[in-house]
Amino acid sequence: MKDNELIVCRDVSLGYEGKSVLTDLDLTIAKGDYLCVVGDNGSGKSTLMNIIGALDSPTSGEVFANGKNLTKMSADELADYRNKTTGFVFQSFYLEPTFTVLDNVAMPLVIAGVDRRTREEKAKAVLEQLGLSDKIGKMANELSGGQKQRVSIARALVHDPDIVLADEPTGNLDSQNGAEVMALLRQICDSGKSVVLVTHNMEDAKNADNVIFIKDGVAEMRGGLQ
Ligand code: ADP
């Protein structure tokens, strides 16, 4: 692996119950790269995202992250990789509705065993960065969809991950809030982190540096769409 490479997938295949979802996929994500994954429903986009985020492992092939082979790691090592290296953003936000914004954002640090004071400092700092300071004490279920997604992005960033994985992050948002989320993902990439965006929205895909098209389990890599 070269120094600037964050994720390398080599010859990755994954099948469920004899049905092939991804076939012989090769993919490199450099540090600071913005990659978009597009394809029809059921084409394997989320599966690829889950492999990169170590929520799923391939049936064959290898996945390297920061030079370490994820396919050879124990469950504990994979959990550590997820906690330190990846931040996830989902279409449905997955916030705890009756927790405050601050507690939602601090959640990954609870899992990482960080003390309360440091957790709160870090969560406040990232909320401030994203212009959400005034929402700190609100319950998640008091927020609009756009606010929820920005809070979930803050949660994805609070532990300073190397890569943010966003699975259809604008799927439940109107176009203005969708554009704000897209601007945030670009900003995250410009700050040096890698971003992977799964979408079926070709306008959103134009934000990325590279696009990977998945069809019938086979991936085709192209440059940006701009
Ligand atoms: P996309 O994100 O492109 O909509 P997915 O990656 O979610 O597609 O799913 C790709 C295919 O794999 C689909 O046919 C889906 O039904 C199947 N699949 C995904 N996860 C599982 C699973 N845990 N068990 C069995 N089949 C699955």
Side-chain angles (χ1 to χ4, degrees), residues 16-17 19 21 39-48 167 198:
Y16 290 114
E17 296 138 17
K19 181 176 163 272
V21 177
D40 293 338
N41 268 345
S43 60
K45 303 184 297 297
S46 302
T47 302
L48 173 58
D167 196 346
V198 163

Side-chain angles (χ1 to χ4, degrees), residues 115-212:
D115 67 88
R116 173 178 282 275
R117 197 170 146 194
T118 312
R119 286 197 309 257
E120 294 194 352
E121 273 170 15
K122 289 193 173 192
K124 278 181 188 162
V126 73
L127 282 163
E128 189 173 332
Q129 227 180 339
L130 299 191
L132 292 162
S133 292
D134 58 331
K135 302 288 181 294
I136 276 177
K138 280 213 179 289
M139 298 295 161
N141 60 13
E142 296 177 288
L143 303 176
S144 69
Q147 290 164 348
K148 281 181 185 157
Q149 197 56 302
R150 277 159 49 220
V151 168
S152 93
I153 291 173
R155 180 184 56 190
L157 292 174
V158 74
H159 56 304
D160 196 24
D162 295 328
I163 187 163
V164 172
L165 302 159
D167 196 346
E168 300 276 7
T170 64
N172 281 337
L173 303 180
D174 60 27
S175 54
Q176 191 193 327
N177 279 300
E180 279 179 26
V181 164
M182 281 299 113
L184 272 180
L185 291 180
R186 172 40 71 187
Q187 205 178 304
I188 290 166
C189 174
D190 290 345
S191 76
K193 298 185 191 303
S194 303
V195 173
V196 180
L197 167 68
V198 163
T199 187
H200 60 264
N201 181 330
M202 295 310 284
E203 276 308 304
D204 287 354
K206 288 181 183 168
N207 289 286
D209 303 322
N210 293 299
V211 180
I212 187 164

Side-chain angles (χ1 to χ4, degrees), residues 82-142:
R82 283 193 296 272
N83 288 341
K84 292 202 172 118
T85 313
T86 70
F88 265 95
V89 179
F90 299 98
Q91 176 171 356
S92 314
F93 323 125
Y94 292 134
L95 298 177
E96 281 295 332
T98 59
F99 283 21
T100 62
V101 164
L102 188 70
D103 285 345
N104 267 286
V105 172
M107 189 74 75
L109 302 176
V110 176
I111 295 162
V114 176
D115 67 88
R116 173 178 282 275
R117 197 170 146 194
T118 312
R119 286 197 309 257
E120 294 194 352
E121 273 170 15
K122 289 193 173 192
K124 278 181 188 162
V126 73
L127 282 163
E128 189 173 332
Q129 227 180 339
L130 299 191
L132 292 162
S133 292
D134 58 331
K135 302 288 181 294
I136 276 177
K138 280 213 179 289
M139 298 295 161
N141 60 13
E142 296 177 288

Side-chain angles (χ1 to χ4, degrees), residues 64-84:
F64 296 86
N66 278 323
K68 298 205 176 103
N69 192 339
L70 296 186
T71 43
K72 296 220 179 331
M73 283 186 188
S74 66
D76 282 353
E77 287 170 327
L78 287 174
D80 195 53
Y81 161 73
R82 283 193 296 272
N83 288 341
K84 292 202 172 118

